[in-house]
Amino acid sequence: MKKFTMLDLLVLVIRRDLVLAMRRRADVFTTLIFFVMVASLFPLGVGPEPDMLRKMAAGVLWVAALLASMLSLGRLFSADYLDGTLEQMMLAPQSLSILVLGKMTAHWMVSGLPLVLMAPVLGLQFDMSAQAIGVLIIGLLLGTPILSMVGAIGAALTLGLRGGGVLLSLLVLPLCIPVLIFGTGAVEAVSSGLSIASHLSLLGALLVLALVFTPWVTAQALRISME
Amino acid sequence: MAINWFKYSAPTTFYGLAGKMIPWFAFFAAILFAIGLYIGFFVAPMDAQQGEFYRIMFIHVPASILSMFLYLIMAGYAALGLIFNTRLSAMMASAIAPTGALFALISLWTGALWGKPMWGAWWLWDARLTSELILLFLYLGFIALHASIEDPRRADRAAALLAIVGSVNVPIIYFSVTWWNTLHQGSTIKFSGTSMHIAMQQAMFTMLAACWLYAIAVVLARVRSIILERERNTAWVTQLPGIADLSEVKQ
């Protein structure tokens, strides 16, 4: 039998989750539509003055992305939990952390990446400058994977609980505050002519930290939830 | 003679020890509260800049300090419970959480009461205020997660993991909030650099000690209830004096 490397496993899990997501495309679109809708509600709520909207844009888009990614987190493990796949994955001889990393990556590709791609359009709605939109996209590219990874810890802890969705947001949102601050900070910095390097470096550092620690923590959380 | 350091790590023995310690902590907490409030209200002079309003600090500062320390202690107990699988540590962690949340709330509330006359606003998005608010959210998340899992063992372990993740994240959150604030809001209002009057210091430290003793007494009382609740089907609980009488009455 062919030796199964960690990379093979990672690719296998990502491909499997992407195929499953493509079979249920409605779920992907609900997250995206939610994102667009939340962002569109703000101009209705605070008034259409372009100056104010331009100032708020980064914050609104980041908060909308944060909420939208919470929405899809509940599905990260629940389907596999319900049909027993998760149990099989935990029994597998390969590292659970790698499996979890694969699921996180797939989750980001399905729920985070569409938001990043959609953000420029919404940025134009808020009359952002091209430069600001560029920084927003870079920030979102660095930040949304962190949301998926930190969120996965919450998803694993609340697995199979009643009212898990609301609880999940309560647990995960406070932990995501730094991502929000640095993401919006970068856009504010570029709008006021300051250097964006510090904010983006910090986001990058958070991403690396999250990549190293969250798969393992999530694996531990899954073990607690499944025992 | 070898001392058994782990004697009181069993809920059975700790239940009795906690029962003996609670009156002492409660008694001294009450006395120190009385002394601290007396010094705070009658001995400490009026502040030159802040007038009488600064006296809120005598409860505000101890509450803020305790809210932060209790989170660390809670996370420490949670980690002990997760690593060594000791039942009592997890019970202590869940007993500390409500008291910590209470102190965080008191800190925010008294801060708002102080802020209105001093800053002219109940709430400012100052770095310290915001991080205290986030700390309250972390406590509430811990309590909510613990409450929504029915199996107490799983609840302990899941909440413990959350507390540890939170405590790792707290410095990151704290610094991000500080930088966010300093980057966008300019200078924040801080304490004046003047050294405190000696009576003010005395009042502050007495109140701090009183709050510590109060927190310990309340946590011990709560952990006793948790022990009783978790161990209600064991022999030693049914043989406790009060409970044995109760079951006789029932029969």
Side-chain angles (χ1 to χ4, degrees):
Chain A
M1 205 170 104
K2 184 177 155 286
K3 184 94 175 82
F4 210 62
T5 65
M6 279 197 340
L7 197 65
D8 289 339
L9 181 70
L10 195 63
V11 173
L12 182 74
V13 174
I14 294 175
R15 187 179 293 159
R16 168 185 176 272
D17 273 26
L18 286 182
V19 167
L20 281 176
M22 284 305 115
R23 294 276 187 278
R24 314 195 58 199
R25 251 163 274 171
D27 286 352
V28 182
F29 283 109
T30 359
T31 314
L32 196 59
I33 292 167
F34 179 82
F35 176 59
V36 175
M37 213 179 262
V38 170
S40 312
L41 284 178
F42 274 87
L44 299 177
V46 298
E49 292 83 5
D51 279 344
M52 194 167 59
L53 289 182
R54 207 177 301 127
K55 247 186 212 159
M56 293 179 13
V60 168
L61 292 182
W62 262 101
V63 171
L66 202 59
L67 295 178
S69 68
M70 290 302 114
L71 202 64
S72 56
L73 275 175
R75 286 194 299 271
L76 184 51
F77 297 114
S78 64
D80 286 346
Y81 172 67
L82 288 176
D83 67 8
T85 315
L86 198 59
E87 221 160 323
Q88 298 302 319
M89 286 180 169
M90 297 180 66
L91 292 174
Q94 284 84 11
S95 149
L96 184 59
S97 304
I98 294 294
L99 275 163
V100 166
L101 183 64
K103 289 192 76 69
M104 286 168 171
T105 316
H107 176 262
W108 174 73
M109 289 164 90
V110 167
S111 71
L113 200 55
L115 304 190
V116 180
L117 298 177
M118 200 62 193
V121 183
L122 293 174
L124 290 177
Q125 271 193 329
F126 281 80
D127 195 28
M128 289 169 82
S129 68
Q131 209 187 3
I133 290 182
V135 174
L136 177 74
I137 299 305
I138 299 174
L140 281 171
L141 268 179
L142 288 172
T144 43
I146 310 178
L147 302 184
S148 289
M149 287 190 277
V150 174
I153 302 176
L157 285 174
T158 56
L159 197 58
L161 300 182
R162 313 168 253 107
V166 186
L167 185 63
L168 179 62
S169 312
L170 189 64
L171 302 185
V172 173
L173 283 176
L175 300 179
C176 289
I177 287 169
V179 179
L180 174 70
I181 288 175
F182 296 132
T184 53
V187 180
E188 301 243 338
V190 76
S191 321
S192 47
L194 298 169
S195 162
I196 55 167
S198 62
H199 290 102
L200 292 183
S201 314
L202 281 165
L203 266 185
L206 287 180
L207 179 60
V208 173
L209 272 179
L211 261 176
V212 174
F213 289 111
T214 54
W216 182 75
V217 176
T218 309
Q220 296 304 313
L222 282 176
R223 292 219 166 85
I224 291 172
S225 294
M226 297 287 292
E227 73 183 6
Chain B
M1 193 185 89
I3 303 171
N4 184 3
W5 291 103
F6 298 105
K7 184 181 174 198
Y8 289 109
S9 63
T12 327
T13 43
F14 189 75
Y15 180 83
L17 180 71
K20 276 184 211 130
M21 290 195 306
I22 289 170
W24 290 100
F25 282 112
F27 176 71
F28 284 110
I31 291 202
L32 285 183
F33 266 126
I35 297 174
L37 287 176
Y38 176 77
I39 302 177
F41 274 116
F42 300 109
V43 180
M46 205 173 83
D47 187 84
Q49 291 164 351
Q50 304 181 1
E52 298 287 357
F53 292 111
Y54 87 92
R55 292 185 202 277
I56 293 175
M57 288 296 127
F58 294 138
I59 184 67
H60 176 72
V61 173
S64 314
I65 293 176
L66 271 173
S67 66
M68 287 178 239
F69 265 103
L70 286 179
Y71 190 87
L72 287 180
I73 297 172
M74 181 181 87
Y77 272 118
L80 276 181
L82 203 57
I83 295 165
F84 297 111
N85 226 354
T86 46
R87 283 177 299 162
L88 190 60
S89 313
M91 292 179 192
M92 281 298 281
S94 48
I96 290 172
T99 306
L102 176 72
F103 275 119
L105 190 65
I106 291 176
S107 161
L108 288 172
W109 197 282
T110 53
L113 290 179
W114 179 82
K116 185 64 184 165
M118 288 299 119
W119 297 341
W122 295 109
W123 182 266
L124 285 181
W125 288 97
D126 172 82
R128 289 186 141 182
L129 275 71
T130 315
S131 38
E132 187 73 27
L133 184 68
I134 297 165
L135 187 66
L136 178 64
F137 290 155
L138 290 177
Y139 274 122
L140 294 181
F142 179 91
I143 298 171
L145 181 64
H146 203 285
S148 58
I149 303 178
E150 274 172 21
D151 172 24
R153 296 292 294 153
R154 186 188 155 187
D156 281 345
R157 293 159 62 82
L161 196 68
L162 182 72
I164 295 166
V165 171
S167 67
V168 171
N169 215 317
V170 158
I172 300 178
I173 294 176
Y174 180 77
F175 284 112
S176 72
V177 166
T178 315
W179 292 335
W180 159 71
N181 182 266
T182 47
L183 277 172
H184 301 301
Q185 291 198 343
S187 65
T188 56
I189 299 159
K190 291 201 177 86
F191 284 100
S192 51
T194 52
S195 57
M196 271 164 90
H197 188 274
I198 185 76
M200 291 184 195
Q201 285 183 20
Q202 285 169 352
M204 189 83 87
F205 287 121
T206 319
M207 288 297 284
L208 181 60
C211 284
W212 267 115
L213 293 177
Y214 161 81
I216 295 171
V218 170
V219 166
L220 287 180
R222 197 174 289 119
V223 86
R224 263 167 69 96
S225 320
I226 294 175
I227 291 175
L228 277 188
E229 195 187 339
R230 297 266 184 96
E231 313 256 304
R232 61 183 176 273
N233 296 324
T234 56
W236 72 272
V237 168
T238 46
Q239 281 160 12
L240 284 174
I243 292 168
D245 298 346
L246 207 69
S247 47
E248 273 168 26
V249 171
K250 261 189 209 160
Q251 286 157 10

